[in-house]
Each structure stands twice: as C-alpha cells, then as structure tokens.
C-alpha cells in the first residue's frame, strides 16, 4: 500500500517528515511553506534528536549538506507561487541519500505530478482544491512506487481519515476535474487583469507547471501600507474573505497580515514577503464578476 489518507494535510506532512528523517540528521526546506509546516521543522529538533532545519529562500542555489536526510518544498511555494527546478534538486538530493517530499496542494494533481521527477513522497491537503466544497478536512500521502520500502517507515494508523470524511471526499472528487479546469482558466484571466492594473505593483503566479498554472494568485498593491490595504480590502466586494484556498468560490486574504501577524518586518523581508501582500484563491464564478469585485477595491485606491 502506497497511498495513505489522513485526518488532515498537516497530519500527512508530520508523518512524512517523522518517518523519513533519520535521527541525528536534519532537513532542508526550499522556499516558503505553509506556516504550520515551517513550525514542524522548527520544533522537531527541539524535542527529538534531529539537527536544526535549514531554510533556503534562494531557490536558484542548491547546496545539500551531508547531514540532510529530508528535502522538503511546496510546488508552487506559498504564497509567492515559485516553482523550483525539481529535476536538479531531486538529482542532487538522491546523490546525498536524502528523501524528497513535495507538498503539491496548490498545484493539484491536475497541473503537476512530482513523481515525473522521481520525488519520493507527494502530499496534498484534501481539504483544499481536491474537495473544493469547504465541507471536508483531510490529507493524502503518496509514496513513489519506485521506492516502496519508504512506506513502511511512515506512521499512518493513528491519523487515518475516518469513513465519513472519506465519503465526502469521494463525492467531491467527482467534480474536481471540471472544477479545477474552470478555476485555472479564471485565474489566468485575473492575472491578465492584475498585470495591467496601475494599482498593482507586482503579481505572483506560477510558471513551469505542466498543465496550466493553477488557481492561486498573489499580488502586491502599489503602496504596501496599512492605509492602502485597508481601503482596497474593505471596498473589494468579493463575498468571501478568509485564510484558505481551493474552495470553488473565490477567496481573498491579506496573506502576510494574517499568517505572519507576529513576525517583524525583518523576518518578512527574509521570506520575501510584503506586509500587505494579497492572496487570491480563484473560484468557478464568472470571470467578469470576479474582476468587477476586485475593481471595486482598486477604484477606491484610485479615489484616495
């Protein structure tokens, strides 16, 4: 058995890290990750016999120390949506005997398969786009068939997804292919709009995925200040505002302000994040309706 269903995406991530990282070694984390994933890598060495994790933000450089037994990344990264040179990274990691784990929640299986690049473990939060209905919580872990022995090291029994969640996920997956295609098409239209908007300083959207570029977009406002962000956010008429993604309805959040509320500006700068960065999880609504909702916020900025 090489596929495991978990109570949450974080349970899947913890199990993968704990099972694959060898005692006395550490992990290399490439790029930004979900904040709770980062906390796992920070806390594990404090409680167990692991070396401190190395966090590498410059994805153009791969220097894997001998003490690293796990290399972890999200594809694309969250929230800057960068796509690592996975082929080079996996080759170098395997030469050092390290296991490569990829959280591919944002890309989804529709847009990218890390197994094409010999990644050892793939993880998805099934709560996000795979379900798409905001009525399910879970995670899934896939072990590469080329490395089946790895499955024996990964703890899964205590965190198994219960039957009710399996039923909901199975039902929601039926609409996934059509749903994610529409979300990605909408996102590409939204990116075009944002790129031409004078109130937007920078747009982050992944390139390098194999089948479209996904449904998540991040962007910086022309002035990274509380005043500008407040005017935009309060006047933007997107109905759903909150810290999640993958729902079939469009969701907007001030990413750094919520996720990294307690981090200072130096820490944010080290991660390449602006304080008032916006992240948009694009849904299946009419493209023009989404743009009108965004335009209401941008018009308010222009009227300042």
């Amino acid at each position: 058995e090489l596929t495991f269903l978990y109570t949450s995406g974080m349970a899947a991530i913890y199990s993968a890290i704990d099972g694959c990282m060898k005692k006395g070694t550490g992990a290399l984390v490439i790029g930004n990750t979900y904040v709770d994933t980062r906390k796992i890598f920070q806390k594990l060495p404090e409680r167990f016999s692991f070396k401190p994790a190395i966090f590498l933000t410059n994805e153009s450089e791969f220097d894997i120390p001998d003490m690293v037994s796990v290399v972890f990344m999200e594809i694309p990264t969250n929230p800057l949506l960068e796509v690592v040179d996975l082929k080079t990274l996996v080759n170098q990691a395997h030469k050092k005997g390290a296991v490569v784990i990829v959280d591919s929640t944002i890309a989804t299986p529709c847009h990218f398969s890390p197994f094409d690049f010999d990644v050892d473990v793939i993880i998805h939060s099934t709560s996000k786009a795979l379900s798409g209905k905001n009525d399910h919580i879970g995670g899934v872990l896939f072990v590469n068939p080329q490395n089946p022995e790895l499955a024996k090291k990964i703890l899964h029994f205590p965190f198994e997804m219960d039957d009710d969640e399996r039923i909901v996920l199975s039902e929601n997956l039926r609409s996934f292919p059509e749903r994610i295609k529409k979300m990605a098409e909408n996102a590409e239209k939204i990116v075009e709009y944002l790129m031409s908007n004078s109130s937007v300083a920078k747009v982050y959207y992944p390139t390098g995925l194999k089948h479209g570029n996904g449904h998540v977009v991040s962007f910086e406002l022309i002035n990274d200040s509380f005043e500008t962000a407040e005017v935009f956010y309060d006047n933007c008429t997107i109905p759903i505002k909150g810290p999640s993604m993958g729902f079939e309805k469009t969701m907007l959040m001030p990413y750094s302000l919520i996720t990294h509320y307690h981090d200072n500006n130096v820490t944010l700068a080290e991660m390449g994040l602006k304080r008032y960065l916006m992240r948009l999880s694009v849904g299946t609504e009419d493209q023009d309706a989404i743009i009108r909702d965004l335009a209401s916020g941008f018009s308010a900025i222009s009227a300042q």
Side-chain angles (χ1 to χ4, degrees):
E1 186 178 8
L2 302 176
T3 301
F4 306 104
L5 292 172
Y6 288 86
T7 53
S8 68
M10 289 311 305
I13 289 172
Y14 175 82
S15 295
I17 296 168
D18 183 60
C20 295
M21 198 152 67
K22 299 174 183 177
K23 302 301 181 184
T25 69
L28 177 66
V29 182
I30 307 290
N32 292 323
T33 67
Y34 180 54
V35 64
D36 287 340
T37 302
R38 187 179 182 90
K39 287 179 181 177
I40 288 178
F41 282 109
Q42 290 171 331
K43 296 295 183 181
L44 275 180
E46 296 177 7
R47 301 180 183 181
F48 303 101
S49 56
F50 297 122
K51 294 185 180 297
I54 300 169
F55 296 93
L56 184 65
T57 56
N58 185 349
E59 299 185 14
S60 64
E61 299 177 3
F62 301 124
D63 183 14
I64 303 175
D66 293 335
M67 51 72 66
V68 166
S69 61
V70 163
V71 177
F72 182 95
M73 78 222 68
E74 294 183 7
I75 293 184
T77 60
N78 184 28
L80 300 183
L81 305 168
E82 297 162 314
V83 178
V84 71
D85 179 357
L86 194 54
K87 182 178 180 180
T88 299
L89 180 62
V90 171
N91 285 340
Q92 294 195 15
H94 285 171
K95 286 179 181 178
K96 294 292 185 76
V99 172
V100 181
I101 304 171
V102 171
D103 180 343
S104 198
T105 297
I106 295 180
T108 80
C110 175
H111 298 297
F112 191 67
S113 175
F115 282 161
D116 290 344
F117 299 86
D118 295 326
V119 161
D120 299 291
V121 175
I122 300 174
I123 293 168
H124 294 275
S125 169
T126 55
S127 315
K128 305 301 191 296
L130 287 173
S131 174
K133 306 292 183 179
N134 274 8
D135 59 356
H136 158 81
I137 185 169
V140 63
L141 183 155
F142 301 102
V143 175
N144 194 320
Q146 302 300 317
N147 193 6
E149 292 297 311
L150 202 56
K152 298 176 182 179
K153 302 177 182 179
I154 296 173
L155 187 67
H156 57 93
F157 176 74
F159 311 116
E160 281 187 296
M161 186 186 295
D162 65 35
D163 289 341
D164 289 341
E165 293 292 350
R166 289 171 187 250
I167 291 169
V168 174
L169 177 59
S170 178
E171 178 66 27
N172 292 349
L173 279 171
R174 295 178 184 178
S175 63
F176 169 72
E178 181 179 355
R179 177 168 23 93
I180 198 65
K181 180 180 178 182
K182 177 62 175 174
M183 291 161 71
E185 289 175 351
N186 282 354
E188 296 198 4
K189 183 74 171 181
I190 301 305
V191 167
E192 290 179 10
Y193 167 72
L194 293 172
M195 293 284 286
S196 63
N197 194 303
S198 60
S199 295
V200 176
K202 190 171 183 178
V203 178
Y204 298 92
Y205 190 60
T207 58
L209 301 181
K210 297 191 76 172
H211 308 287
N213 292 312
H215 63 285
V216 181
V217 184
S218 295
F219 57 95
E220 298 170 5
L221 298 172
I222 194 67
N223 179 15
D224 190 61
S225 68
F226 175 81
E227 292 75 19
T228 300
E230 182 181 39
V231 167
F232 169 75
Y233 198 72
D234 288 352
N235 286 279
C236 181
T237 54
I238 286 177
I240 304 177
K241 296 174 180 176
S244 189
M245 60 186 176
F247 185 33
E248 63 184 351
K249 302 295 184 182
T250 298
M251 302 182 72
L252 175 69
M253 71 173 291
Y255 180 86
S256 304
L257 193 62
I258 293 178
T259 305
H260 297 283
Y261 180 80
H262 295 290
D263 289 331
N264 59 37
N265 290 337
V266 173
T267 301
L268 286 180
E270 289 174 351
M271 293 187 285
L273 301 178
K274 294 289 188 180
R275 173 67 64 184
Y276 301 101
L277 177 77
M278 298 288 166
R279 190 185 72 185
L280 191 70
S281 175
V282 181
T284 60
E285 304 97 330
D286 177 75
Q287 295 175 355
D288 292 334
I290 300 172
I291 290 174
R292 283 196 299 271
D293 286 334
L294 289 168
S296 62
F298 292 126
S299 295
I301 293 176
S302 301
Q304 281 183 301

